[in-house]
Amino acid sequence: MALPANQARALSFDTVATQYAATRPGYPPALFDAMEELAGRPLVGADVLDCGAGTGIATRLLRERGARVVAMEPGAGMAAELRRVEPEVPLVRGEGNRLPFAAGSFDVVAYAQAWHWTDPARSVPEALRVLRPHGVLALWWNQADIRVPWVAAEEERLAPFTRGFPTTVAELFAPFPVGVATREVTWSRRITLEAHIRNLGTHSHFVVMDPAERARLLDANRTELARLFPDGEFDEPYRCGLTVVHTPPDREVR
């Protein structure tokens, strides 16, 4: 899902694919409830393209909601991990700025934690092209909830090495003749300290960092969290921002 300038960083996940699959958070049922509400249709029976599918975290959850999912992933390592854990899912190598699908192929085009690697001037028209009439483009991100004091302190310790994303990206769609709706879902998961540190290590800013610098930062963070959570376990809180984009109802599929 990459612009040329970000290609190396976007594909850096290939080197940590197994760790990514093991430690990255999933998404709560409430997110998919909100998606169905804003889309005005259930996921059951929907043809869904999971763009930038990574190791298949969202792919699996979409399938559990009854969707027929095609996964698309540009990275060889991530695609191999997706194939290992979801062997029955159709998997295509590709990227969002040039979708390798015919017009009108899908009811939903989804980007879970991946839209920021695209160029909206190219990826929006491509999503609209492959969507059927009344189809939707759905984008979402898990963000660490910095309203929680220990999370805010961690973000400050790790800055400027962390990269946040907006809760929604509705403003990006102003140039296009589409309808946009947004929702935020708050949730958390129980996690061990070591799994939390390994999760941080799968974020691209750490993956591409000098290994010694990465170890220093993550070790210092581990030490501080161990002081706060001596039993080595805690709740990891998230804000999951969802943006749902509706195609024009009178659009012709070409």
Side-chain angles (χ1 to χ4, degrees):
M1 304 294 102
L3 295 169
N6 290 333
Q7 186 76 31
R9 184 160 169 169
L11 297 179
S12 67
F13 300 110
D14 284 337
T15 64
V16 293
T18 302
Q19 183 175 333
Y20 190 110
T23 62
R24 279 290 183 108
Y27 304 99
L31 170 72
F32 299 101
D33 293 342
M35 189 187 310
E36 291 177 327
E37 178 188 339
L38 297 180
R41 63 155 300 154
L43 285 166
V44 172
D47 291 311
V48 178
L49 173 61
D50 184 9
C51 294
T55 62
I57 294 171
T59 303
R60 174 178 56 80
L61 296 172
L62 287 163
R63 292 185 73 212
E64 288 176 358
R65 297 289 293 221
R68 296 187 293 263
V69 183
V70 174
M72 187 183 74
E73 168 56 38
M78 297 288 268
E81 183 66 19
L82 190 155
R83 171 62 66 221
R84 186 184 70 80
V85 299
E86 295 289 339
E88 297 180 359
V89 173
L91 173 60
V92 176
R93 298 288 299 282
E95 51 96 12
N97 295 328
R98 190 173 63 248
L99 295 173
F101 300 99
S105 295
F106 299 99
D107 301 303
V108 180
V109 172
Y111 282 84
Q113 224 78 17
W115 177 255
H116 51 282
W117 298 117
T118 75
D119 173 8
R122 299 166 65 192
S123 56
V124 174
E126 277 292 272
L128 296 180
R129 180 183 65 80
V130 304
L131 281 169
R132 295 168 181 154
H134 305 287
V136 298
L137 168 63
L139 325 170
W140 66 92
W141 287 268
N142 276 321
Q143 292 272 62
D145 192 344
I146 60 172
R147 297 171 299 185
V148 177
W150 76 260
V151 178
E154 178 180 69
E155 290 283 303
E156 185 174 350
R157 277 195 303 277
L158 298 178
F161 304 101
T162 57
R163 175 187 180 188
F165 304 103
T167 303
T168 70
V169 289
E171 68 281 357
L172 293 178
F173 298 95
F176 302 96
V178 296
V180 181
T182 64
R183 187 70 55 83
E184 182 178 283
V185 176
T186 58
W187 71 288
S188 66
R189 64 171 179 169
R190 194 72 178 170
I191 194 168
T192 66
L193 171 56
E194 287 306 314
H196 176 76
I197 296 298
R198 284 174 56 78
N199 172 31
L200 290 175
T202 68
H203 290 250
S204 63
H205 41 268
F206 288 116
V207 175
V208 300
M209 187 180 291
D210 173 76
E213 178 69 359
R214 177 175 62 238
R216 184 186 68 79
L217 284 167
L218 294 179
D219 285 348
N221 191 52
R222 178 189 288 106
T223 297
E224 182 58 26
L225 291 178
R227 184 185 66 81
L228 293 174
F229 305 107
D231 62 351
E233 190 173 278
F234 47 85
D235 290 324
E236 191 179 68
Y238 288 99
R239 301 169 71 177
C240 191
L242 169 68
T243 301
V244 174
V245 181
H246 290 258
T247 58
D250 57 350
R251 178 180 63 95
E252 293 184 8
V253 176
R254 298 181 182 276

